[in-house]
Amino acid sequence: MRRISSIFLSGPDLWFPDAEALAERKRALCAAAGYVGVTPFDGVLVETEPSEAMAREIYADNIARLKGCDAVIANLTPWRGPNCDPGTAFEMGYASALKKPVFAYMNVSDEDDADLRGRVEMHQGLSVLPDGKLRDDQGCEIEDFGLPENLMLWAEARRLLVVVTPDPMSDLTGLELVLDAVRLYDED
């Protein structure tokens, strides 16, 4: 009996220019792999105007859909800065608290962007103190474990795959590779 049949697809994708078409492509890849892909576009909202009420409705809808899925695949592609979308990080943590397996991928346009330290340096500057610690332009220590993302997100993901692509916003190679990892996990 399968342990995973539905997968919550988390990421900043809903803000992308071609968001609905991208969500449909992601659902199709999940279906081809034998899973139901659940996206933010799968809900129906009562609220029609952006407001606090709409924000709470979206939150409740996303949490309900996440709870109803068997696993999460998170798109950790850097979003509006050196790190992933904060909503995606929250959804990964929430899924982890629910004991759901989390898988992740990250698209970057250059191999140098695969390292969190390098992205922080590019966005915020970097200096090395005499004790060897790294600091950003505000004097805050920079996490440097040689990982592609924050250690808590990296450690939670059963697999976190980094894909170098000229099209980080719409390349789905990472999703395809992670779906293979989900299948292998599911067969164990």
Side-chain angles (χ1 to χ4, degrees):
M1 183 161 107
R2 289 190 91 150
R3 295 181 295 183
I4 297 175
S5 62
S6 60
I7 301 171
F8 186 81
L9 300 171
S10 181
D13 316 51
L14 70 150
W15 307 113
F16 290 1
D18 60 346
E20 290 188 49
L22 185 59
E24 188 53 43
R25 288 176 49 215
K26 291 175 93 172
R27 279 191 218 97
L29 287 172
C30 288
Y35 303 105
V36 174
V38 177
T39 75
F41 293 106
D42 298 331
V44 178
L45 298 177
V46 173
E47 294 294 323
T48 58
E49 295 296 321
S51 63
E52 186 177 307
M54 179 183 264
R56 291 189 185 284
E57 183 181 7
I58 290 169
Y59 170 85
D61 185 58
N62 278 345
I63 292 299
R65 280 186 279 112
L66 189 151
K67 284 181 176 179
C69 288
D70 304 312
V72 171
I73 294 179
N75 175 356
L76 297 181
T77 298
W79 177 245
R80 295 181 175 153
N83 294 91
C84 72
D85 166 53
T88 304
F90 172 83
E91 290 164 348
M92 284 181 72
Y94 199 94
S96 175
L98 295 174
K99 307 287 189 237
K100 295 182 184 288
V102 176
F103 301 84
Y105 67 95
M106 173 188 290
N107 290 339
V108 294
S109 56
D110 185 278
E111 194 169 322
D112 292 336
D113 293 337
D115 179 61
L116 177 60
R117 171 192 169 172
R119 291 193 313 275
V120 171
E121 181 177 12
M122 181 178 68
H123 285 272
Q124 296 172 282
L126 176 137
S127 59
V128 181
L129 299 183
D131 64 2
K133 291 193 178 192
L134 305 174
R135 301 283 175 171
D136 66 16
D137 63 353
Q138 296 179 2
C140 297
E141 188 172 344
I142 296 172
E143 179 178 306
D144 185 27
F145 295 97
L147 302 173
E149 186 49 88
N150 173 278
L151 73 92
M152 297 299 284
L153 300 177
W154 173 84
E156 178 52 36
R158 308 270 191 222
R159 294 285 183 272
L160 195 167
L161 304 171
V162 179
V163 176
V164 177
T165 172
D167 188 9
M169 287 178 62
S170 63
D171 189 316
L172 295 181
T173 304
L175 176 60
E176 292 174 300
L177 294 170
V178 169
L179 283 166
D180 287 341
V182 171
R183 181 184 47 76
L184 292 171
Y185 173 87
D186 203 22
E187 291 174 354
D188 264 351

PDB file of all heavy atoms in Angstrom, residues 107-125:
ATOM      1  N   ASN A 107      16.284  26.121  -7.847  1.00  0.00           N
ATOM      2  CA  ASN A 107      16.814  26.504  -9.144  1.00  0.00           C
ATOM      3  C   ASN A 107      17.681  27.745  -8.982  1.00  0.00           C
ATOM      4  O   ASN A 107      17.280  28.701  -8.312  1.00  0.00           O
ATOM      5  CB  ASN A 107      15.688  26.832 -10.127  1.00  0.00           C
ATOM      6  CG  ASN A 107      14.907  25.615 -10.546  1.00  0.00           C
ATOM      7  OD1 ASN A 107      15.375  24.492 -10.436  1.00  0.00           O
ATOM      8  ND2 ASN A 107      13.707  25.827 -11.034  1.00  0.00           N
ATOM      9  N   VAL A 108      18.852  27.719  -9.589  1.00  0.00           N
ATOM     10  CA  VAL A 108      19.737  28.882  -9.609  1.00  0.00           C
ATOM     11  C   VAL A 108      20.266  29.058 -11.025  1.00  0.00           C
ATOM     12  O   VAL A 108      20.345  28.093 -11.790  1.00  0.00           O
ATOM     13  CB  VAL A 108      20.898  28.743  -8.599  1.00  0.00           C
ATOM     14  CG1 VAL A 108      20.385  28.755  -7.171  1.00  0.00           C
ATOM     15  CG2 VAL A 108      21.720  27.497  -8.857  1.00  0.00           C
ATOM     16  N   SER A 109      20.635  30.279 -11.366  1.00  0.00           N
ATOM     17  CA  SER A 109      21.084  30.536 -12.737  1.00  0.00           C
ATOM     18  C   SER A 109      22.585  30.336 -12.909  1.00  0.00           C
ATOM     19  O   SER A 109      23.073  30.298 -14.034  1.00  0.00           O
ATOM     20  CB  SER A 109      20.697  31.956 -13.163  1.00  0.00           C
ATOM     21  OG  SER A 109      21.212  32.893 -12.253  1.00  0.00           O
ATOM     22  N   ASP A 110      23.313  30.199 -11.813  1.00  0.00           N
ATOM     23  CA  ASP A 110      24.759  30.063 -11.884  1.00  0.00           C
ATOM     24  C   ASP A 110      25.215  29.139 -10.748  1.00  0.00           C
ATOM     25  O   ASP A 110      24.655  29.184  -9.650  1.00  0.00           O
ATOM     26  CB  ASP A 110      25.388  31.457 -11.724  1.00  0.00           C
ATOM     27  CG  ASP A 110      26.881  31.445 -11.905  1.00  0.00           C
ATOM     28  OD1 ASP A 110      27.581  31.096 -10.922  1.00  0.00           O
ATOM     29  OD2 ASP A 110      27.352  31.772 -13.001  1.00  0.00           O
ATOM     30  N   GLU A 111      26.224  28.344 -11.006  1.00  0.00           N
ATOM     31  CA  GLU A 111      26.702  27.413  -9.986  1.00  0.00           C
ATOM     32  C   GLU A 111      27.123  28.128  -8.699  1.00  0.00           C
ATOM     33  O   GLU A 111      26.947  27.608  -7.597  1.00  0.00           O
ATOM     34  CB  GLU A 111      27.861  26.580 -10.536  1.00  0.00           C
ATOM     35  CG  GLU A 111      28.183  25.384  -9.684  1.00  0.00           C
ATOM     36  CD  GLU A 111      29.148  24.428 -10.363  1.00  0.00           C
ATOM     37  OE1 GLU A 111      29.040  24.224 -11.578  1.00  0.00           O
ATOM     38  OE2 GLU A 111      29.998  23.887  -9.641  1.00  0.00           O
ATOM     39  N   ASP A 112      27.650  29.348  -8.827  1.00  0.00           N
ATOM     40  CA  ASP A 112      28.043  30.113  -7.637  1.00  0.00           C
ATOM     41  C   ASP A 112      26.850  30.443  -6.753  1.00  0.00           C
ATOM     42  O   ASP A 112      26.994  30.645  -5.547  1.00  0.00           O
ATOM     43  CB  ASP A 112      28.759  31.404  -8.036  1.00  0.00           C
ATOM     44  CG  ASP A 112      30.116  31.133  -8.683  1.00  0.00           C
ATOM     45  OD1 ASP A 112      30.706  30.057  -8.427  1.00  0.00           O
ATOM     46  OD2 ASP A 112      30.579  32.001  -9.446  1.00  0.00           O
ATOM     47  N   ASP A 113      25.666  30.513  -7.341  1.00  0.00           N
ATOM     48  CA  ASP A 113      24.455  30.834  -6.584  1.00  0.00           C
ATOM     49  C   ASP A 113      23.937  29.641  -5.779  1.00  0.00           C
ATOM     50  O   ASP A 113      22.984  29.780  -5.017  1.00  0.00           O
ATOM     51  CB  ASP A 113      23.334  31.303  -7.515  1.00  0.00           C
ATOM     52  CG  ASP A 113      23.649  32.632  -8.174  1.00  0.00           C
ATOM     53  OD1 ASP A 113      24.473  33.386  -7.618  1.00  0.00           O
ATOM     54  OD2 ASP A 113      23.060  32.918  -9.231  1.00  0.00           O
ATOM     55  N   ALA A 114      24.548  28.480  -5.942  1.00  0.00           N
ATOM     56  CA  ALA A 114      24.092  27.283  -5.226  1.00  0.00           C
ATOM     57  C   ALA A 114      24.474  27.320  -3.751  1.00  0.00           C
ATOM     58  O   ALA A 114      23.934  26.557  -2.961  1.00  0.00           O
ATOM     59  CB  ALA A 114      24.669  26.030  -5.884  1.00  0.00           C
ATOM     60  N   ASP A 115      25.366  28.208  -3.363  1.00  0.00           N
ATOM     61  CA  ASP A 115      25.828  28.295  -1.975  1.00  0.00           C
ATOM     62  C   ASP A 115      25.194  29.503  -1.294  1.00  0.00           C
ATOM     63  O   ASP A 115      25.258  30.625  -1.801  1.00  0.00           O
ATOM     64  CB  ASP A 115      27.352  28.424  -1.968  1.00  0.00           C
ATOM     65  CG  ASP A 115      27.922  28.550  -0.583  1.00  0.00           C
ATOM     66  OD1 ASP A 115      27.728  27.618   0.214  1.00  0.00           O
ATOM     67  OD2 ASP A 115      28.543  29.591  -0.299  1.00  0.00           O
ATOM     68  N   LEU A 116      24.554  29.281  -0.134  1.00  0.00           N
ATOM     69  CA  LEU A 116      23.891  30.363   0.602  1.00  0.00           C
ATOM     70  C   LEU A 116      24.861  31.503   0.922  1.00  0.00           C
ATOM     71  O   LEU A 116      24.526  32.674   0.750  1.00  0.00           O
ATOM     72  CB  LEU A 116      23.264  29.823   1.886  1.00  0.00           C
ATOM     73  CG  LEU A 116      22.595  30.860   2.787  1.00  0.00           C
ATOM     74  CD1 LEU A 116      21.461  31.567   2.070  1.00  0.00           C
ATOM     75  CD2 LEU A 116      22.087  30.197   4.063  1.00  0.00           C
ATOM     76  N   ARG A 117      26.051  31.159   1.350  1.00  0.00           N
ATOM     77  CA  ARG A 117      27.039  32.200   1.686  1.00  0.00           C
ATOM     78  C   ARG A 117      27.266  33.140   0.503  1.00  0.00           C
ATOM     79  O   ARG A 117      27.279  34.363   0.658  1.00  0.00           O
ATOM     80  CB  ARG A 117      28.351  31.546   2.096  1.00  0.00           C
ATOM     81  CG  ARG A 117      29.473  32.533   2.245  1.00  0.00           C
ATOM     82  CD  ARG A 117      30.813  31.858   2.360  1.00  0.00           C
ATOM     83  NE  ARG A 117      31.879  32.838   2.238  1.00  0.00           N
ATOM     84  CZ  ARG A 117      33.124  32.587   2.442  1.00  0.00           C
ATOM     85  NH1 ARG A 117      33.512  31.372   2.785  1.00  0.00           N
ATOM     86  NH2 ARG A 117      34.025  33.515   2.305  1.00  0.00           N
ATOM     87  N   GLY A 118      27.424  32.579  -0.680  1.00  0.00           N
ATOM     88  CA  GLY A 118      27.663  33.399  -1.870  1.00  0.00           C
ATOM     89  C   GLY A 118      26.488  34.309  -2.199  1.00  0.00           C
ATOM     90  O   GLY A 118      26.676  35.456  -2.599  1.00  0.00           O
ATOM     91  N   ARG A 119      25.274  33.795  -2.006  1.00  0.00           N
ATOM     92  CA  ARG A 119      24.090  34.623  -2.293  1.00  0.00           C
ATOM     93  C   ARG A 119      23.959  35.754  -1.276  1.00  0.00           C
ATOM     94  O   ARG A 119      23.607  36.874  -1.630  1.00  0.00           O
ATOM     95  CB  ARG A 119      22.827  33.765  -2.327  1.00  0.00           C
ATOM     96  CG  ARG A 119      22.766  32.823  -3.516  1.00  0.00           C
ATOM     97  CD  ARG A 119      21.392  32.215  -3.708  1.00  0.00           C
ATOM     98  NE  ARG A 119      20.759  31.691  -2.528  1.00  0.00           N
ATOM     99  CZ  ARG A 119      20.947  30.466  -2.018  1.00  0.00           C
ATOM    100  NH1 ARG A 119      21.789  29.624  -2.623  1.00  0.00           N
ATOM    101  NH2 ARG A 119      20.299  30.062  -0.938  1.00  0.00           N
ATOM    102  N   VAL A 120      24.265  35.460   0.000  1.00  0.00           N
ATOM    103  CA  VAL A 120      24.214  36.517   1.016  1.00  0.00           C
ATOM    104  C   VAL A 120      25.266  37.579   0.695  1.00  0.00           C
ATOM    105  O   VAL A 120      25.002  38.780   0.757  1.00  0.00           O
ATOM    106  CB  VAL A 120      24.414  35.942   2.436  1.00  0.00           C
ATOM    107  CG1 VAL A 120      24.585  37.062   3.462  1.00  0.00           C
ATOM    108  CG2 VAL A 120      23.244  35.048   2.816  1.00  0.00           C
ATOM    109  N   GLU A 121      26.465  37.138   0.323  1.00  0.00           N
ATOM    110  CA  GLU A 121      27.522  38.084  -0.034  1.00  0.00           C
ATOM    111  C   GLU A 121      27.091  38.968  -1.197  1.00  0.00           C
ATOM    112  O   GLU A 121      27.293  40.183  -1.171  1.00  0.00           O
ATOM    113  CB  GLU A 121      28.805  37.333  -0.384  1.00  0.00           C
ATOM    114  CG  GLU A 121      29.961  38.252  -0.753  1.00  0.00           C
ATOM    115  CD  GLU A 121      31.249  37.492  -1.020  1.00  0.00           C
ATOM    116  OE1 GLU A 121      31.225  36.256  -1.153  1.00  0.00           O
ATOM    117  OE2 GLU A 121      32.295  38.172  -1.104  1.00  0.00           O
ATOM    118  N   MET A 122      26.468  38.391  -2.194  1.00  0.00           N
ATOM    119  CA  MET A 122      26.034  39.145  -3.365  1.00  0.00           C
ATOM    120  C   MET A 122      24.949  40.168  -2.991  1.00  0.00           C
ATOM    121  O   MET A 122      24.959  41.292  -3.464  1.00  0.00           O
ATOM    122  CB  MET A 122      25.494  38.193  -4.440  1.00  0.00           C
ATOM    123  CG  MET A 122      25.046  38.892  -5.707  1.00  0.00           C
ATOM    124  SD  MET A 122      24.481  37.723  -6.962  1.00  0.00           S
ATOM    125  CE  MET A 122      22.996  37.090  -6.212  1.00  0.00           C
ATOM    126  N   HIS A 123      24.024  39.785  -2.125  1.00  0.00           N
ATOM    127  CA  HIS A 123      22.899  40.659  -1.781  1.00  0.00           C
ATOM    128  C   HIS A 123      23.221  41.651  -0.667  1.00  0.00           C
ATOM    129  O   HIS A 123      22.668  42.747  -0.645  1.00  0.00           O
ATOM    130  CB  HIS A 123      21.682  39.819  -1.352  1.00  0.00           C
ATOM    131  CG  HIS A 123      20.981  39.166  -2.488  1.00  0.00           C
ATOM    132  ND1 HIS A 123      19.986  39.777  -3.196  1.00  0.00           N
ATOM    133  CD2 HIS A 123      21.157  37.958  -3.056  1.00  0.00           C
ATOM    134  CE1 HIS A 123      19.566  38.971  -4.149  1.00  0.00           C
ATOM    135  NE2 HIS A 123      20.257  37.857  -4.078  1.00  0.00           N
ATOM    136  N   GLN A 124      24.077  41.255   0.288  1.00  0.00           N
ATOM    137  CA  GLN A 124      24.259  42.073   1.480  1.00  0.00           C
ATOM    138  C   GLN A 124      25.710  42.370   1.833  1.00  0.00           C
ATOM    139  O   GLN A 124      25.960  43.027   2.830  1.00  0.00           O
ATOM    140  CB  GLN A 124      23.598  41.377   2.676  1.00  0.00           C
ATOM    141  CG  GLN A 124      22.100  41.253   2.491  1.00  0.00           C
ATOM    142  CD  GLN A 124      21.469  40.415   3.567  1.00  0.00           C
ATOM    143  OE1 GLN A 124      21.544  39.203   3.525  1.00  0.00           O
ATOM    144  NE2 GLN A 124      20.862  41.065   4.529  1.00  0.00           N
ATOM    145  N   GLY A 125      26.631  41.872   1.053  1.00  0.00           N
ATOM    146  CA  GLY A 125      28.034  42.080   1.374  1.00  0.00           C
ATOM    147  C   GLY A 125      28.517  41.070   2.393  1.00  0.00           C
ATOM    148  O   GLY A 125      27.730  40.391   3.045  1.00  0.00           O
TER     149      GLY A 125
END
